[in-house]
């Protein structure tokens, strides 16, 4: 599985600028790339209660239509995020867009401080298979909770793709969290963060990274814009589980309703109140 990580800056509230840079980055991908991953909410930037109605788009809107056309043209999948408008309800959403359309969408379940003033939390975790690998999505603060990655592992995820908008002084937190989520579930975990300045004086931390099923960091970016390609050897999952398997050995089950869909998606619906 060949991935490209695109760590880049964005402009909050400037969808046209962010979308064009995203499309340019997709066009620059290698011909053998399977998936290109971008930071959290890069398409729209982060909204506030005053501009969210203007910025938010439905998943069947113009930005993701353009992303799908690019995915089809370059025969790859794109993981990117935006502020979703679902009939007047707003979510921080990341999607896996393939040449055939949106294969997977995920609404951030764990909202950062103050984020709930603009968007609602999601209520489920989902996975889908793409080119032989079962994939799950997480967003930023989600990765600090062991239960999120465990929910995806329950659904058979082999690769966790985390769109991130982590800011200073918390860059070190996600370095630890992403490696831990990979190690404790014996899967690959990929995090792509934003860099540069944001609204309200924020400085995004960068540090995009890849961790293998042993929790070892295979790649880590700095704090500037960059892109990095690498191939994941998915047989590393079996190697990590050869002597001990956390999924088999654990004694506590994660609650939730598991749903298997005819299109290959798997979902874990979170019980109300959790």
């Amino acid at each position: 599985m060949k991935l490209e990580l695109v760590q880049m800056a964005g402009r909050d509230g400037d969808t046209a600028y962010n979308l064009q840079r995203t499309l340019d980055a997709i066009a620059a991908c290698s011909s053998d790339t399977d998936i290109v991953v971008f930071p959290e909410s890069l398409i729209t930037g982060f909204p506030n209660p005053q501009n969210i109605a203007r910025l938010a788009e439905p998943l069947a809107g113009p930005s993701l239509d353009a992303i799908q056309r690019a995915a089809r043209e370059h025969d790859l999948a794109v993981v990117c995020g935006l502020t979703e408008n679902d009939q007047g309800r707003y979510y921080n959403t990341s999607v896996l867009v393939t040449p055939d359309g949106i294969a997977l969408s995920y609404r951030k379940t764990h909202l950062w401080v103050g984020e709930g003033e603009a968007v609602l939390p999601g209520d489920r975790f989902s996975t889908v298979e793409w080119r032989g690998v079962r994939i799950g999505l997480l967003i930023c603060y989600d990765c600090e909770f062991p239960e999120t990655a465990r929910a995806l592992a329950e659904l058979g995820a082999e690769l966790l793709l985390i769109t991130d908008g982590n800011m200073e002084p918390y860059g070190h937190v996600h370095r630890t969290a992403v490696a831990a989520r990979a190690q404790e579930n014996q899967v690959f975990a990929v995090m792509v963060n934003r860099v540069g300045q944001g609204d309200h004086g924020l400085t995004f931390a960068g540090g995009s990274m890849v961790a293998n099923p042993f929790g070892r960091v295979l790649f880590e970016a700095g704090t500037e814009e960059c892109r990095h390609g690498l191939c994941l050897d998915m047989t590393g999952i079996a190697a990590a589980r050869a002597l001990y398997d956390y999924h088999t050995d654990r004694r506590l089950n994660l609650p939730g309703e598991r749903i298997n869909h005819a299109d290959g998606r798997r979902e874990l619906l979170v019980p109300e109140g959790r």
Side-chain angles (χ1 to χ4, degrees), residues 221-260:
T223 59
E224 303 297 327
E225 288 196 331
C226 65
R227 62 187 303 148
H228 181 78
L230 78 167
C231 291
L232 300 181
D233 180 0
M234 302 308 295
T235 63
I237 294 175
R241 299 175 183 179
L243 180 60
Y244 55 91
D245 185 334
Y246 291 133
H247 184 80
T248 300
D249 295 343
R250 68 190 174 88
R251 298 180 62 198
L252 296 175
N253 290 322
L254 188 71
E257 179 186 358
R258 176 169 169 154
I259 305 169
N260 293 322

Side-chain angles (χ1 to χ4, degrees), residues 1-117:
M1 175 66 72
K2 171 71 178 293
L3 301 182
E4 289 198 43
L5 287 60
V6 182
Q7 176 172 286
M8 60 191 295
R11 294 179 183 172
D12 293 319
D14 192 343
T15 299
Y17 172 85
N18 297 329
L19 177 60
Q20 187 57 56
R21 292 205 70 204
T22 301
L23 295 173
D24 291 344
I26 295 170
C29 284
S30 300
S31 60
D32 59 346
T33 295
D34 293 299
I35 306 175
V36 57
V37 187
F38 293 92
E40 175 187 8
S41 289
L42 184 68
I43 302 301
T44 55
F46 293 110
N48 58 55
Q50 288 70 47
N51 66 12
I52 193 167
R54 173 179 62 84
L55 288 178
E57 294 186 24
L59 297 188
S63 292
L64 291 186
D65 282 351
I67 296 290
Q68 183 189 349
R69 290 194 297 271
R72 185 184 303 119
E73 179 181 354
H74 298 283
D75 190 31
L76 47 66
V78 180
V79 174
C80 59
L82 78 169
T83 302
E84 177 192 356
N85 183 350
D86 180 10
Q87 300 180 22
R89 297 183 297 273
Y90 304 115
Y91 299 92
N92 181 339
T93 299
S94 286
V95 293
L96 172 70
V97 183
T98 74
D100 296 322
I102 297 175
L104 187 64
S105 64
Y106 168 71
R107 293 168 172 172
K108 188 176 184 180
T109 54
H110 293 76
L111 303 181
W112 176 244
V113 177
E115 194 173 8
E117 297 174 7

Side-chain angles (χ1 to χ4, degrees), residues 125-127 146-157 185 254 268 270:
F125 299 93
S126 305
T127 66
E147 296 86 355
T148 60
R150 179 53 53 83
L152 294 175
E154 285 270 338
L155 298 173
N185 292 290
L254 188 71
L268 186 71
V270 179

